[in-house]
Amino acid sequence: MLKTFKIGGIHPDENKLSAASPIQVLPVPAEVKIPLAQHIGAPAQPCVEVGAKVKVGTLIAKAGGFVSANVHSSVSGTVKKIEEFVDANGMKKMAIVITVEGDEWEESIDRSTDIVRDIKLEPKEIIAKVSEMGLVGMGGATFPTHVKLAVPDGQKCEALVINGVECEPYLTSDHRAMLERPEEILMGVKILMKALQIDKAYIGIENNKPDAIAKLTELAKNYPGVTVQPLKLKYPQGGEKQLIDACMDRQVPSGKLPINVGAVVQNVGTALAVYEAVQKNKPLIERIVCVTGKPLAKPSNFLVRIGTPVSACIEAAGGMPEDCGKVIGGGPMMGRAMMHTDVPVIKGTSGILLMNKKESKRPEIANCIRCAKCVNVCPMGLEPYLLSKLSAKEMWDEAQEHNIMDCIECGSCNFTCPSNRPLLDYVRLGKGKVGAILRAKAAAAKAAAEKK
């Protein structure tokens, strides 16, 4: 019997339109815009000036703290500007704009396709290299990878869990990576295991990807301790806590992290990037992006340089269709609508989804009928109807008491609500407000302690 997580979950249509499309290398654009904040944590700080000459792989911004990530140039050319821009969510951020001149790479990067199997670095050196190369979670969360690998004192990692689920409808970038670059992924898993000093890893893959399961299962025979775990099809199985439950039969308590139950979770794309960073000395300067949607002429998977305009990706997939009603960064469940497409691909851009006008139109909202469907499908065991009401009424203390910070923003509640209530919109609002209040209280407590 196939494994899965125990609480909640839904089964949206898969719509994996680009699953059979091999990864294509997207041409390098004439200009890239590389944001300084492509990760959770402090923005990186520029270490180049306007007019500087850079190569592919040149460090252009240094991490702004422990929870931050280095940023490297994805192209060779001249730094044109360091300026503020408006991102896809309408937020102002800083970016380094580079005019492309040729395609010259840093000599330290190994560009051969040979698989390098001898891991020469020790655990602490691996973590340092991952940090140096600017790696972040490639599944969309963009948490700096070196932070996850630095297990806190007093805690112990027992197993690495690799997310090959790709449960979001439409998205196929991880699927194609597992089919086309399985050896590099498995070597990345082996490197991560050495960094964590463990001998057990699970690669969770949903059973709608039988070709990836078969390929990795066969190759994993040469990697002791690595188990490919086929999983029952259910959304949101790619959530960290849900994946740990499915693969390890362990439940992460409210307010706790995966390491509290002995697990560290990484995406398959991150494992691939770890291999390239440690064995090839390659910074995170490009990633696989799925460009898909029913209105598109050619749903595709592209290898894209960081900083490439989203509009260039859409053009390569057949161009902007006339009946496009919405462009979403990510998948339809957890992705967010883009305000415009003149924004760059960043480290966390797993997919670009185009929806037609009919699909993208929100249905009319009706009154809650108290059916409790949102409660039944919530994978975190929350009460979305209640959390949305508390958020709408700005009852932040009560929202915190009902564990609003546990919400993973999967959208299962919205999907199942027969009254089309904007549950997730309100819960996101409340989660942001409560999070800000908690951070302010922590900062005040820290300041008070320092005064004593």
Side-chain angles (χ1 to χ4, degrees), residues 175-444:
H175 187 185
R176 293 311 310 181
M178 289 186 285
L179 290 179
E180 298 183 42
R181 305 188 67 180
E183 286 278 18
E184 290 102 318
I185 289 171
L186 286 166
M187 277 304 304
V189 172
K190 187 175 178 181
I191 293 166
L192 287 166
M193 291 169 68
K194 184 173 182 179
L196 293 165
Q197 302 181 65
I198 56 174
D199 57 9
K200 186 66 179 175
Y202 301 91
I203 303 177
I205 309 174
E206 286 191 329
N207 68 331
N208 62 343
K209 307 173 188 64
D211 46 2
I213 291 172
K215 180 162 284 192
L216 285 173
T217 298
E218 180 61 31
L219 292 174
K221 293 176 182 178
N222 300 317
Y223 293 83
V226 178
T227 300
V228 176
Q229 180 63 64
L231 300 172
K232 183 179 178 180
L233 193 63
K234 187 162 69 164
Y235 177 88
Q237 197 143 228
E240 283 192 332
K241 295 182 179 181
Q242 287 68 41
L243 192 56
I244 292 168
D245 186 6
C247 291
M248 298 178 63
D249 197 25
R250 296 185 184 184
Q251 292 74 46
V252 181
S254 174
K256 300 296 183 181
L257 299 171
I259 193 62
N260 295 115
V261 296
V264 168
V265 182
Q266 298 286 357
N267 180 263
V268 289
T270 309
L272 174 57
V274 166
Y275 165 77
E276 292 183 325
V278 175
Q279 303 297 79
K280 300 286 188 174
N281 205 45
K282 179 184 174 184
L284 183 47
I285 50 91
E286 59 186 1
R287 66 156 297 141
I288 303 166
V289 178
C290 173
V291 186
T292 185
K294 293 176 184 177
L296 266 179
K298 298 182 294 184
S300 306
N301 300 288
F302 297 112
L303 183 63
V304 185
R305 300 283 180 97
I306 302 300
T308 298
V310 165
S311 56
C313 300
I314 295 172
E315 192 61 33
M320 183 70 73
E322 289 185 8
D323 66 337
C324 183
K326 188 178 289 185
V327 179
I328 296 173
M333 301 300 295
M334 297 187 73
R336 300 198 180 195
M338 294 184 173
M339 292 187 66
H340 56 101
T341 58
D342 186 25
V343 293
V345 167
I346 60 174
K347 296 176 182 180
T349 307
S350 57
I352 301 164
L353 171 63
L354 279 67
M355 302 182 76
N356 62 39
K357 291 177 181 178
K358 183 179 179 180
E359 286 180 307
S360 60
K361 186 178 179 180
R362 285 199 176 196
E364 187 175 344
I365 299 170
N367 292 330
C368 174
I369 61 172
R370 295 171 175 79
C371 64
K373 285 186 176 181
C374 63
V375 178
N376 292 335
V377 301
C378 179
M380 297 304 297
L382 304 176
E383 298 173 285
Y385 76 93
L386 176 60
L387 293 176
S388 67
K389 285 186 177 181
L390 294 175
S391 297
K393 294 180 180 295
E394 300 185 2
M395 299 172 68
W396 311 129
D397 289 342
E398 291 83 355
Q400 182 188 346
E401 290 173 7
H402 285 84
N403 300 319
I404 195 169
M405 296 306 293
D406 283 349
C407 173
I408 61 173
E409 303 180 29
C410 67
S412 295
C413 53
N414 266 24
F415 179 84
T416 196
C417 179
S419 297
N420 305 312
R421 306 290 299 172
L423 301 172
L424 180 57
D425 301 56
Y426 278 112
V427 175
R428 271 180 173 160
L429 170 67
K431 187 178 173 183
K433 292 288 187 181
V434 172
I437 292 169
L438 293 175
R439 288 191 295 272
K441 287 181 179 179

Side-chain angles (χ1 to χ4, degrees), residues 13-189:
D13 292 338
E14 296 174 43
N15 289 315
K16 302 288 189 178
L17 310 177
S18 53
S21 300
I23 300 167
Q24 306 170 59
V25 178
L26 197 72
V28 180
E31 183 178 280
V32 295
K33 185 181 293 179
I34 303 178
L36 301 180
Q38 302 183 52
H39 47 265
I40 289 175
Q45 300 300 311
C47 58
V48 292
E49 297 179 349
V50 173
K53 297 290 184 180
V54 296
K55 299 177 182 178
V56 179
T58 300
L59 180 68
I60 58 175
K62 294 182 179 179
F66 178 60
V67 184
S68 186
N70 288 342
V71 176
H72 300 77
S73 175
S74 61
V75 296
S76 62
T78 303
V79 176
K80 180 181 178 182
K81 290 181 285 188
I82 301 176
E83 64 175 7
E84 198 171 60
F85 80 105
V86 178
D87 72 5
N89 298 317
M91 304 294 289
K92 290 183 177 180
K93 292 182 178 179
M94 294 299 295
I96 296 174
V97 181
I98 302 171
T99 302
V100 177
E101 299 160 1
D103 195 31
E104 187 179 358
W105 290 54
E106 290 285 355
E107 291 78 7
S108 57
I109 301 173
D110 178 2
R111 299 181 64 191
S112 72
T113 57
D114 299 334
I115 305 294
V116 182
R117 301 184 182 281
D118 183 19
I119 307 171
K120 295 180 179 179
L121 300 184
E122 294 302 313
K124 288 185 177 179
E125 294 173 322
I126 291 172
I127 297 173
K129 177 62 71 173
V130 164
S131 176
E132 178 191 343
M133 297 291 105
L135 271 57
V136 302
M138 303 286 278
T142 66
F143 196 83
T145 304
H146 68 274
V147 179
K148 272 193 176 183
L149 296 179
V151 178
D153 292 338
Q155 294 183 316
K156 178 178 174 57
C157 178
E158 298 175 37
L160 170 69
V161 181
I162 297 294
N163 181 2
V165 171
E166 202 164 40
C167 59
E168 268 273 15
Y170 288 96
L171 303 189
T172 60
S173 54
D174 287 347
H175 187 185
R176 293 311 310 181
M178 289 186 285
L179 290 179
E180 298 183 42
R181 305 188 67 180
E183 286 278 18
E184 290 102 318
I185 289 171
L186 286 166
M187 277 304 304
V189 172

